[in-house]
Amino acid sequence: MSMAVQSVKFEQETLDKLSELARIRDQDISYLILEAVIDFIEKSEWQIEEVKKTLQGIDSGEVSTRPLGEFLAETKENLFQKS
């Protein structure tokens, strides 16, 4: 896989913390940044796919919806019944 360079600005406090983590883990700062970005991308892609699946389910009728207030009232009622 080919690599490209992207400049990123950090607040000094964040960079100091990142430097300390890199020292503790005995890894380069650039490796830690890449690791974090890849993790962020994977989680974001997963979330987007799940939203798409849910929207498709709603459109097809496989997933039902109800008003938030109704859900919250029922949840509140159930919580207090179990106490």
Side-chain angles (χ1 to χ4, degrees), residues 20-34:
E20 180 64 8
L21 284 172
R23 184 189 67 75
I24 290 168
R25 291 177 58 172
D26 193 29
Q27 294 174 319
D28 293 334
I29 290 175
S30 59
Y31 176 81
L32 295 181
I33 294 169
L34 179 60

Side-chain angles (χ1 to χ4, degrees), residues 14 30 79 83:
T14 302
S30 59
L79 285 174
S83 297

Side-chain angles (χ1 to χ4, degrees), residues 1-73:
M1 179 185 302
S2 67
M3 301 290 277
V5 176
Q6 174 64 51
S7 178
V8 179
K9 292 184 181 183
F10 293 96
E11 290 183 2
Q12 189 59 50
E13 181 180 353
T14 302
L15 189 56
D16 292 344
K17 290 177 181 180
L18 189 58
S19 295
E20 180 64 8
L21 284 172
R23 184 189 67 75
I24 290 168
R25 291 177 58 172
D26 193 29
Q27 294 174 319
D28 293 334
I29 290 175
S30 59
Y31 176 81
L32 295 181
I33 294 169
L34 179 60
E35 188 178 61
V37 170
I38 289 170
D39 184 57
F40 172 77
I41 290 169
E42 288 173 352
K43 287 178 182 174
S44 295
E45 288 175 337
W46 177 84
Q47 288 174 332
I48 290 167
E49 282 305 309
E50 291 303 307
V51 168
K52 286 179 180 178
K53 288 178 192 175
T54 300
L55 292 174
Q56 288 171 350
I58 291 169
D59 289 344
S60 70
E62 293 176 34
V63 175
S64 63
T65 62
R66 62 181 170 158
L68 179 60
E70 181 184 306
F71 170 77
L72 293 175

